[in-house]
Amino acid sequence: MTKRHRTVATSAVVGLVVAGGHFIGAGSAHADDVKPSVPPGTEPSAAAPVAIDSNAPGLKIPQGGTLAPVKVLDIAEVVEDLGGEQRRQETNETVMMALQSEVLFPEDSAVFNAQAAARIQAIGNEINQSKATRIRVFGFTDDQGSYEHGKELSKQRADAVHAELSKTVTNPGVVFDVRGYSEDYPIADNSTEEGRKKNRRVEITFPRGAS
């Protein structure tokens, strides 16, 4: 059995930033030049809370004022394989699966290895179960080599994952947003090989099904 370690971000508020551009049909892929400030599903966790003076006058409710309605915050739960090959992040609204490029492709290639199709099909089956119809497939690289090469490679890898998902996902009206971001939006330190390995990834994000 694969050992796993679990990190629960019990206070992280995950805001969904929608990527600029258009969703497309399952039979084609498209990438535009408009980038979000942060790719959806990869936003950093909220910073530590700032110390608050409970006696500050600005915290007092004005005469006749009322409290805002109760709001349930979006809690993020992250589960990562011990080797970091696969990372799953769930919020109240979405599921994001990040697969390291090494488990899908040979070095500097966008051609699947022997085990890749089965991994993508398993995610596709979960998407079917959740009845998701909008799916984001984003590719990323590390900062080695030129930015332009990373852009092309990350998009080609996202396209390959999109093509494989299209064989499995059967939900009516499903659409994909497929993009390649090169070295933009790293999730780890590019100065170490361990960090670069985490940054070389493909992320698949879809709405969470009803529980």
Side-chain angles (χ1 to χ4, degrees):
M1 179 179 296
T2 304
K3 293 184 179 179
R4 294 173 180 268
H5 61 81
R6 178 179 297 253
T7 303
V8 181
T10 56
S11 61
V13 180
V14 179
L16 180 62
V17 181
V18 179
H22 301 285
F23 282 92
I24 56 166
S28 63
H30 171 74
D32 55 34
D33 294 328
V34 180
K35 298 188 301 182
S37 59
V38 178
T42 62
E43 301 87 345
S45 299
V50 178
I52 296 176
D53 180 4
S54 59
N55 296 316
L59 295 178
K60 296 180 180 179
I61 299 177
Q63 185 79 25
T66 59
L67 294 175
V70 175
K71 181 179 179 180
V72 178
L73 299 181
D74 202 7
I75 307 302
E77 179 180 10
V78 179
V79 179
E80 185 177 86
D81 286 349
L82 192 59
E85 294 180 350
Q86 184 165 311
R87 182 174 181 266
R88 179 188 184 95
Q89 177 175 305
E90 287 192 54
T91 72
N92 298 339
E93 297 181 353
T94 62
V95 176
M96 188 274 287
M97 305 289 292
L99 298 172
Q100 286 185 6
S101 295
E102 278 79 354
V103 305
L104 301 176
F105 309 99
E107 183 178 357
D108 201 29
S109 171
V111 179
F112 277 148
N113 61 33
Q115 294 79 33
R119 284 181 177 266
I120 301 304
Q121 288 165 11
I123 297 174
N125 289 332
E126 182 173 350
I127 292 173
N128 284 334
Q129 293 172 3
S130 72
K131 297 182 172 56
T133 57
R134 293 202 165 194
I135 304 164
R136 298 192 295 266
V137 183
F138 293 167
F140 304 86
T141 63
D142 58 28
D143 65 350
Q144 305 299 290
S146 72
Y147 181 87
E148 292 73 19
H149 177 68
K151 186 86 170 178
E152 180 180 5
L153 180 61
S154 60
K155 178 59 165 57
Q156 289 175 344
R157 286 175 167 177
D159 285 339
V161 172
H162 161 244
E164 190 61 41
L165 278 175
S166 296
K167 299 176 185 177
T168 305
V169 176
T170 58
N171 299 331
V174 65
V175 290
F176 290 82
D177 184 12
V178 184
R179 298 168 183 260
Y181 284 107
S182 187
E183 65 194 57
D184 293 335
Y185 315 114
I187 59 174
D189 187 354
N190 270 313
S191 67
T192 67
E193 176 54 28
E194 180 181 0
R196 291 192 293 269
K197 189 174 181 181
K198 289 185 176 183
N199 290 332
R200 298 189 295 264
R201 68 198 190 278
V202 176
E203 296 181 356
I204 303 168
T205 307
F206 53 94
R208 183 174 180 174
S211 43

